[in-house]
Amino acid sequence: MEEKKKFYITTPIYYPSGHWHIGTCYTTIICDAIARFKRMQGFDVFYLTGTDEHGQKILKVSQEAGVPVKDYIDGIVNELKDLWKLLDISYDKFIRTTDDYHEKAVAKIFQKLYDQGDIYKSSYEGWYCTPCESFWTKTQLVDGKCPDCGRDVQLMKEESYFFKMGKYQDRIIKLIEENPDFLQPPTRQNEMINNFLKPGLQDLCVSRTSFDWGVKVPFDPKHVVYVWIDALTNYITALGYGSDDDSLFKKYWPADIHMVGKEIVRFHSIIWPALLMALDIPMPKKVYGHGWLLFGNDKMSKSKGNIVDPFILCNNYGVDSLRYFMLREVSFGQDGSYTNEAFLKRINGDLCNDLSNLVSRTIAMVEQYFGGEIPAPNVKDAIDDDLIATIDSMYGEVSDNMEKLYIPEALESIWKVIRRLNKYIDETAPWALNKEGNKDRLSTVMYNLCEGIRIVATILQPFLTKSPAKIFEKLGVEEGVLTSFDGLKFGTMKPGNKVSKGENIFTRLDINKELAAMDKILEEQVAAAKAKQEAATSDNVVKVPEIGIEEFEKVQLKVGKVVECQKVEKADKLLCSKIDLGEGRLRTIVSGIAKYYTPEDMVGRSVIVVTNLKPVKLRGILSEGMVLCASDENGKLALITPSADMPAGAEVR
Ligand code: MSP
């Protein structure tokens, strides 16, 4: 038996943000339609998705929630899996970057790159955007903010490992220029070459020491691997690369399509190829950077008067409505907008008027004229040839469009046939044939309509996951024959099936009424969010109870002068200071400030010390007090000092 051709398609792995909106589902629905289409074409498909769980951003959020980070993420990942289930996403594997096999493989890859000299140690000073997990130089910032998302960045100064990405610059330019298929759509090629590659590719900082939620660098575990290196490798570790069993990797790599949103094309078309080149692994065949689904002008902004919660939209209007809108509305590769009204209009127009009505009218006529049994075709007419030719050419058009990733156009090719079938009803006027008693011609017309509908439903299966099965049931067509595109040829269906009317697959909506109902849901959402915020604020008040002055007075605070200071051995964060508190002796105090102050910075400084804290041993040193610091939300520390000179031992009140 001939071996099936392989097809490997991936979505990006999702940050476990927990803020799922319909934009988040865009990449996944698109890939699902492609994966299903390829399966029906007979390919052996592997469709990968998953979650990108390491990094500073998620750690910070979990800390704010006061939940251990992995527990925090587990809940969100389950929600995401529920969402994919609701949307009928037919992935073959869901990878989590916290999966053991992945973490081990990332460490192995890092070690290999280090051993072969592609990774080296140096120190990094630059600006870091935590939400984007991206490094920037000062000149790349726009008005001092992250050039990608416009948010605040923080100055980062760390000992780091670097990946020699610069060395692959020319090979990557060649890859993009000589293989136009590699990076699509074409506008993304110019963007990458002119904005990032031609100006010169810097080596990439690939480790962090300021937090530890990540894969530890195996030979220097105070470093964790930069989250993008960790994340990108998922595309090969999911197939077993770097594990004892890499048979899937051998079978499916290179990927046929990495589908990604346009904002992460840079990572996939520059960093990822450079890594693969360093690992001597073949390049993926295609990186496709699709556009954004916009709400207002922003991909992330709040709903701006629109319902963007996929759970609500699916529960109220059906999964197929949402899948159809996403696949059909936006010109693929470009940005497009979601509005409640556009969504409802697609349901009423394409799904209800065109598709659902065609099916219900036809079934009703088979019931009325032939007692519910699909008749055998009999007398032909020239008009049938045009219909049959349109139906028979549909698969070619659809598959051509899918091959080029012209997804809305692929649906348009199907709708051309749906509209042609509706027109065929008007042209043949079955009710008139019935009236005339022309059963021979009427049976041909009814067979042609049913057969056309069966073929449409078959080819719709990769796009809509619920309606085709409903249509087959109405037509009395048995499941099973329909898992491939065999049988798309007109005339394959044998006459004699029993039809059943049942409910319409889509019912016409009163748009104004629906819009009003949607507004009401939005109002409720706003009220619920407000209530949640108020509850959180009042929670905070409870969490930090008020204290009386007598309790405050129990804390003794004094000005101290740092006389000596040194690093604590084998503890990166700790400094050990000898502090004069006017007591005729020096106190030893250990503080976790080494990332922000050197021993030289400390000596001679005035600091504020809590002097009546019970002494504790830290790394074997008895610490007799605490030096006070201010701390921001990122854990950055700054010492508190008196604003004018004060003697050692002066009380702080
Ligand atoms: N974790 C990274 C990807 C690492 S891949 C090695 C990431 N995650 S994400 O959760 O922010 O985004 C996942 C996908 O959702 C991206 O392709 C992104 O473009 C897509 N979308 C999120 N919002 C979107 C819209 N509003 N519209 C279309 N797609 C958008 O990036």
Side-chain angles (χ1 to χ4, degrees):
M1 208 175 90
E2 203 188 315
E3 216 197 322
K4 277 184 169 185
K5 277 211 236 153
K6 312 284 176 285
F7 187 80
Y8 179 30
I9 182 164
T10 67
T11 70
I13 45 175
Y14 286 74
Y15 291 129
S17 67
H19 305 299
W20 317 121
H21 53 78
I22 51 174
T24 338
C25 312
Y26 187 68
T27 323
T28 323
I29 293 179
I30 296 281
C31 287
D32 188 65
I34 298 170
R36 285 174 184 267
F37 197 84
K38 285 282 173 185
R39 283 192 200 107
M40 288 192 70
Q41 280 185 313
F43 283 77
D44 175 353
V45 173
F46 196 89
Y47 173 17
L48 176 72
T49 190
T51 37
D52 183 358
E53 302 184 9
H54 290 130
Q56 196 172 357
K57 183 165 58 178
I58 187 70
L59 177 66
K60 214 174 108 188
V61 179
S62 69
Q63 283 167 343
E64 279 161 13
V67 180
V69 58
K70 182 65 172 28
D71 294 350
Y72 183 80
I73 296 170
D74 284 348
I76 298 179
V77 169
N78 286 338
E79 258 179 39
L80 187 64
K81 285 186 173 170
D82 285 347
L83 177 58
W84 294 160
K85 201 165 167 199
L86 177 69
L87 291 168
D88 283 326
I89 304 300
S90 62
Y91 57 79
D92 294 287
K93 181 168 177 119
F94 189 103
I95 184 171
R96 299 182 59 175
T97 52
T98 49
D99 287 342
D100 188 48
Y101 68 87
H102 171 79
E103 291 188 345
K104 283 189 180 139
V106 171
K108 245 187 184 170
I109 289 169
F110 204 92
Q111 178 83 53
K112 179 175 157 58
L113 295 176
Y114 181 69
D115 291 345
Q116 71 189 33
D118 267 298
I119 283 179
Y120 61 93
K121 195 173 190 174
S122 182
S123 72
Y124 181 83
E125 186 169 345
W127 299 85
Y128 195 69
C129 173
T130 306
C132 294
E133 308 271 17
S134 288
F135 300 98
W136 303 103
T137 60
K138 184 137 204 201
T139 50
Q140 286 175 315
L141 301 179
V142 177
D143 298 330
K145 310 260 182 192
C146 170
D148 266 1
C149 72
R151 279 178 272 207
D152 285 340
V153 287
Q154 296 136 35
L155 184 61
M156 226 187 76
K157 205 169 163 186
E158 283 180 16
E159 174 194 75
S160 296
Y161 285 91
F162 283 78
F163 169 52
K164 286 188 186 163
M165 193 159 72
K167 125 179 181 199
Y168 298 100
Q169 172 180 323
D170 294 341
R171 271 179 75 186
I172 300 172
I173 294 179
K174 212 164 152 218
L175 168 74
I176 296 177
E177 284 183 343
E178 290 182 4
N179 304 281
D181 245 15
F182 171 73
L183 181 54
Q184 285 288 325
T187 46
R188 313 273 180 240
Q189 297 167 14
N190 309 334
E191 217 176 293
M192 290 302 118
I193 291 192
N194 298 334
N195 299 354
F196 296 101
L197 286 156
K198 289 267 160 85
L201 207 51
Q202 307 288 317
D203 286 353
L204 180 70
C205 176
V206 288
S207 77
R208 304 286 314 271
T209 53
S210 53
F211 62 95
D212 68 354
W213 179 237
V215 177
K216 300 223 171 358
V217 170
F219 47 87
D220 195 352
K222 67 174 184 287
H223 290 256
V224 290
V225 175
Y226 172 43
V227 65
W228 268 101
I229 301 293
D230 173 357
L232 285 163
T233 53
N234 95 87
Y235 300 129
I236 52 177
T237 64
L239 300 179
Y241 179 87
S243 78
D244 294 340
D245 179 5
D246 65 354
S247 50
L248 287 178
F249 175 72
K250 288 195 177 115
K251 185 169 169 190
Y252 289 107
W253 190 261
D256 291 85
I257 303 178
H258 288 315
M259 187 64 76
V260 302
K262 63 179 183 180
E263 81 285 11
I264 53 173
V265 164
R266 183 166 67 91
F267 299 92
H268 286 82
S269 64
I270 298 178
I271 302 180
W272 183 223
L275 275 174
L276 291 169
M277 283 171 189
L279 293 168
D280 202 18
I281 293 176
M283 291 302 118
K285 292 184 199 151
K286 192 193 295 296
V287 172
Y288 192 98
H290 66 68
W292 289 339
L293 194 65
L294 301 171
F295 320 111
N297 293 320
D298 190 343
K299 98 180 208 301
M300 299 304 285
S301 74
K302 293 280 174 283
S303 54
K304 299 235 169 81
N306 291 303
I307 297 207
V308 296
D309 181 332
F311 290 99
I312 297 182
L313 291 178
C314 285
N315 289 333
N316 292 0
Y317 300 100
V319 176
D320 279 357
S321 302
L322 186 57
R323 285 180 66 108
Y324 182 74
F325 180 87
M326 304 287 249
L327 296 164
R328 177 68 185 83
E329 183 77 6
V330 179
S331 182
F332 194 56
Q334 295 171 22
D335 291 347
S337 289
Y338 170 85
T339 63
N340 289 339
E341 193 170 353
F343 175 62
L344 297 171
K345 280 188 171 159
R346 281 279 173 204
I347 300 178
N348 263 4
D350 303 7
L351 295 175
C352 187
N353 279 3
D354 296 343
L355 176 64
S356 185
N357 282 355
L358 168 69
V359 176
S360 48
R361 283 163 88 192
T362 304
I363 300 288
M365 290 191 285
V366 176
E367 283 193 334
Q368 194 185 337
Y369 306 144
F370 292 96
E373 192 173 301
I374 299 175
N378 199 331
V379 172
K380 287 198 177 143
D381 188 294
I383 210 171
D384 302 346
D385 296 337
D386 178 63
L387 175 83
I388 294 168
T390 311
I391 294 171
D392 275 343
S393 63
M394 171 174 65
Y395 174 70
E397 273 185 35
V398 176
S399 65
D400 232 35
N401 281 325
M402 288 302 280
E403 204 54 42
K404 296 184 193 136
L405 300 179
Y406 292 171
I407 294 170
E409 289 81 353
L411 281 171
E412 185 48 34
S413 304
I414 303 174
W415 253 256
K416 204 167 89 184
V417 171
I418 294 173
R419 286 193 291 264
R420 182 69 192 83
L421 284 161
N422 274 319
K423 193 169 151 218
Y424 181 77
I425 298 182
D426 298 338
E427 287 167 345
T428 54
W431 47 91
L433 294 173
N434 183 56
K435 213 168 180 185
E436 291 159 14
N438 191 349
K439 281 267 172 179
D440 289 346
R441 176 67 191 139
L442 186 59
S443 58
T444 307
V445 169
M446 293 323 298
Y447 175 86
N448 288 352
L449 283 170
C450 291
E451 176 62 339
I453 291 170
R454 179 192 68 84
I455 292 169
V456 161
T458 304
I459 205 163
L460 267 179
Q461 288 179 105
F463 308 96
L464 308 183
T465 53
K466 307 286 188 219
S467 313
K470 289 184 193 163
I471 296 174
F472 295 141
E473 203 188 320
K474 286 177 190 293
L475 288 175
V477 171
E478 293 196 351
E479 300 271 18
V481 267
L482 303 157
T483 50
S484 85
F485 288 135
D486 299 344
L488 276 185
K489 177 104 193 85
F490 191 92
T492 310
M493 181 173 71
K494 292 203 174 62
N497 286 348
K498 273 279 191 197
V499 301
S500 53
K501 198 156 182 272
E503 283 186 6
N504 288 346
I505 39 180
F506 293 94
T507 37
R508 196 171 170 75
L509 302 168
D510 176 335
I511 293 202
N512 286 332
K513 211 171 118 201
E514 293 305 322
L515 285 174
M518 286 169 136
D519 282 347
K520 190 146 178 275
I521 295 174
L522 283 168
E523 274 167 29
E524 284 164 8
Q525 281 182 337
V526 171
K530 209 171 144 203
K532 202 171 154 194
Q533 204 178 0
E534 278 168 9
T537 322
S538 63
D539 264 7
N540 273 340
V541 174
V542 175
K543 265 188 212 145
V544 186
E546 281 180 350
I547 55 167
I549 187 78
E550 63 298 342
E551 276 177 281
F552 175 70
E553 278 176 348
K554 287 184 192 160
V555 182
Q556 190 181 50
L557 300 169
K558 285 190 176 175
V559 174
K561 288 243 156 100
V562 181
V563 178
E564 290 171 31
C565 182
Q566 59 190 41
K567 286 196 157 181
V568 175
E569 246 180 63
K570 292 189 191 146
D572 319 328
K573 292 184 182 155
L574 301 182
L575 292 184
C576 176
S577 309
K578 299 275 185 200
I579 301 183
D580 178 6
L581 286 151
E583 300 169 314
R585 69 171 186 106
L586 298 182
R587 285 205 196 196
T588 302
I589 297 182
V590 177
S591 328
I593 52 176
K595 212 171 287 163
Y596 303 94
Y597 297 93
T598 63
E600 297 72 48
D601 289 336
M602 294 296 290
V603 174
R605 263 183 201 263
S606 289
V607 291
I608 307 296
V609 178
V610 184
T611 55
N612 62 335
L613 264 188
K614 210 183 269 173
V616 283
K617 265 201 173 175
L618 294 168
R619 299 277 168 152
I621 306 169
L622 190 69
S623 182
E624 309 165 283
M626 184 166 86
V627 173
L628 292 187
C629 286
S631 159
D632 75 3
E633 52 179 6
N634 300 312
K636 185 176 154 194
L637 300 175
L639 286 167
I640 312 287
T641 53
S643 62
D645 197 28
M646 280 282 158
E651 275 205 35
V652 178
R653 285 185 274 170

